[in-house]
Amino acid sequence: MAAMAGGVAEQIRPAAAHAEQLLTVGVEEEFLLVDAATGVAAPAVDAVVANVPPELRGQVQLEFQTSQIEIGSPPGLCLDALRHSLGLLRTGVSDAAEQAGVRLLAVGTGPVDGPVPPLVGNPRFHRMIERYGMLAPGPGLNGMHVHVGVPDPETGVQVLDHLRPWLPVLHAATANSPFYAGRDTGYASWRSMLWNRWPSVGPMPWLESHEHYERLIRELIESGLILDEGMLYWYSRLSARYPTVEIRIGDVCSSLDDTILIAALVRGLVGAALDDIAAGRPAHRIDQHLLEAAHWRAAHDGLEGLAVDLLDGGALRPAWELLLRLVDRVGPQLRRHGDLDTVTPLLEKLRHRGSGAARQRAVHDRTGELGSVVDHLATATRS
């Protein structure tokens, strides 16, 4: 996320000053490029990048496959600035895609069946395929990553432990890939199922310290499970490049409104965790298998179904009930960062319209055509 390089460190203070210090937030979004006529994933990233305006090109990157492209916002304190940055990038890359004869879709994976696009010309990606085989067939898997500044890596690991029970509900809220290879998968986030084939994907285990975190990474590299720290695909981790925690659970959101909402909630969770740490309140130590079950349920049901209540012994509750509980938890942080007036209407809008997966299904139920779903996604991506 080259766009985040610079600016974060200057805005972070030691943990003792957390109560007065606001937290920076930045977002990465990955998108699918599809043929304008058929909706099939198109290996067009080089042509699209060539059309991106020069002033935006530094915030646009290649991804794993030639049918994908990534944008990244600068880090900042203000949600309005985050929206402005991501909106310019979405519009600019959408325009560049259309000039190249393709369309930009904010979707977890491709809804329309077609040939598998090749990898980009990155030697590391080719080493990954040589090592792990065909774990990544398909049109491309597109996620959203939220970075929030933390004072230091040791505190960052404690924050990650505090976040573990809350991430499944964000997983449900970002579900945006119900269709794959021409049919409804029965999941709200089929991207999650495809992504989980990689051996290092999943919820972060309980960590005792930053030394434990680093030792575990060394052991995973030595075992061959990952090639390098960049392949640590836990749903939450310390950034290898920036002084942030990185939350990477969700499908990319079709609507920029949803992206801003999730970014605010993630920052709120990090702030609440820092308050707990400062007050000596321990994190809930959730069993790893139950945590995995909660994430599976989130990918299957999305926001419109049931969710696993990790703070109540794994009871099943409506996912919306747990999302509202999360909002209550982060309420003081939303007020401290000036985010409450932004989050409240965005939450109501999400409840009224449903998740990205629900919106796609509603379009398909109404029209019976995946082409209409592709049209809907292309329009929503620009919004």
Side-chain angles (χ1 to χ4, degrees), residues 3 31 36 42 88 111 135 143 150 166 183-184 192 196 207 220 232 271 275 294 303 310 314-315 340 351 374:
F31 303 97
L88 285 177
L135 291 181
V150 289
W166 299 101
R183 65 176 185 265
D184 192 323
S192 299
N196 279 342
L207 297 170
L220 293 176
L232 191 70
D275 282 350
L303 196 52
L310 293 170
L340 189 61
R351 189 157 201 172
V374 171

Side-chain angles (χ1 to χ4, degrees), residues 90-110:
R90 282 185 173 221
T91 300
V93 178
S94 291
D95 289 343
E98 291 176 10
Q99 292 168 26
V102 296
R103 305 174 86 178
L104 186 75
L105 303 187
V107 64
T109 191

Side-chain angles (χ1 to χ4, degrees), residues 311-333:
L311 301 181
D312 188 19
L316 288 178
R317 305 193 188 284
W320 261 103
E321 180 180 323
L322 297 191
L323 180 59
L324 293 176
R325 183 192 297 172
L326 186 157
V327 173
D328 285 343
R329 171 168 171 77
V330 304
Q333 297 298 321

Side-chain angles (χ1 to χ4, degrees), residues 209-220:
S209 63
H210 184 235
E211 188 280 329
H212 182 199
Y213 181 92
E214 291 189 312
R215 172 163 44 86
L216 187 52
I217 291 173
R218 290 194 302 269
E219 291 168 350
L220 293 176

Side-chain angles (χ1 to χ4, degrees), residues 134-202:
M134 291 304 295
L135 291 181
L141 307 178
N142 305 302
M144 175 180 67
H145 308 158
V146 181
H147 289 254
V148 179
V150 289
D152 56 77
E154 192 67 53
T155 303
V157 168
Q158 295 180 61
V159 167
L160 294 175
D161 279 338
H162 280 262
L163 295 185
R164 292 169 82 239
W166 299 101
L167 295 189
V169 70
L170 295 182
H171 195 163
T174 56
N176 187 39
S177 52
F179 297 103
Y180 181 75
R183 65 176 185 265
D184 192 323
T185 64
Y187 281 76
S189 175
W190 188 245
R191 166 193 168 271
S192 299
M193 297 297 101
L194 299 176
W195 185 225
N196 279 342
R197 295 176 303 192
W198 287 92
S200 59
V201 173

Side-chain angles (χ1 to χ4, degrees), residues 32-264:
L32 186 68
L33 302 170
V34 301
D35 183 271
T38 66
V40 171
V45 69
D46 289 337
V48 174
V49 170
N51 292 330
V52 171
E55 65 272 18
L56 299 180
R57 206 165 291 164
Q59 295 171 266
V60 177
Q61 297 186 33
L62 306 183
E63 241 298 318
F64 194 71
Q65 289 171 262
T66 52
S67 54
Q68 296 176 278
I69 195 165
E70 180 180 356
I71 64 172
S73 76
L77 299 173
C78 176
L79 292 185
D80 286 343
L82 179 64
R83 175 186 285 278
H84 179 71
S85 174
L86 292 175
L88 285 177
L89 286 163
R90 282 185 173 221
T91 300
V93 178
S94 291
D95 289 343
E98 291 176 10
Q99 292 168 26
V102 296
R103 305 174 86 178
L104 186 75
L105 303 187
V107 64
T109 191
V112 179
D113 198 13
V116 176
L119 303 184
V120 301
N122 183 321
R124 177 174 175 269
F125 293 163
H126 288 275
R127 288 198 304 273
M128 289 167 63
I129 293 299
E130 290 171 4
R131 170 73 65 85
Y132 303 101
M134 291 304 295
L135 291 181
L141 307 178
N142 305 302
M144 175 180 67
H145 308 158
V146 181
H147 289 254
V148 179
V150 289
D152 56 77
E154 192 67 53
T155 303
V157 168
Q158 295 180 61
V159 167
L160 294 175
D161 279 338
H162 280 262
L163 295 185
R164 292 169 82 239
W166 299 101
L167 295 189
V169 70
L170 295 182
H171 195 163
T174 56
N176 187 39
S177 52
F179 297 103
Y180 181 75
R183 65 176 185 265
D184 192 323
T185 64
Y187 281 76
S189 175
W190 188 245
R191 166 193 168 271
S192 299
M193 297 297 101
L194 299 176
W195 185 225
N196 279 342
R197 295 176 303 192
W198 287 92
S200 59
V201 173
M204 188 198 79
W206 179 269
L207 297 170
E208 300 293 343
S209 63
H210 184 235
E211 188 280 329
H212 182 199
Y213 181 92
E214 291 189 312
R215 172 163 44 86
L216 187 52
I217 291 173
R218 290 194 302 269
E219 291 168 350
L220 293 176
I221 293 173
E222 291 169 3
S223 74
L225 188 78
I226 59 177
L227 293 178
D228 50 42
E229 186 173 353
M231 275 194 71
L232 191 70
Y233 296 140
W234 291 340
Y235 297 154
S236 56
R237 67 183 188 184
L238 299 180
S239 171
R241 301 170 62 189
Y242 312 111
T244 65
V245 292
E246 180 183 2
I247 308 309
R248 44 189 299 116
I249 179 55
D251 292 348
V252 64
C253 294
S254 58
S255 165
L256 184 53
D257 283 341
D258 296 345
T259 299
I260 299 304
L261 173 62
I262 297 300

Side-chain angles (χ1 to χ4, degrees), residues 6 74 152 343 347 377:
D152 56 77
V343 165
L347 191 68
L377 288 166

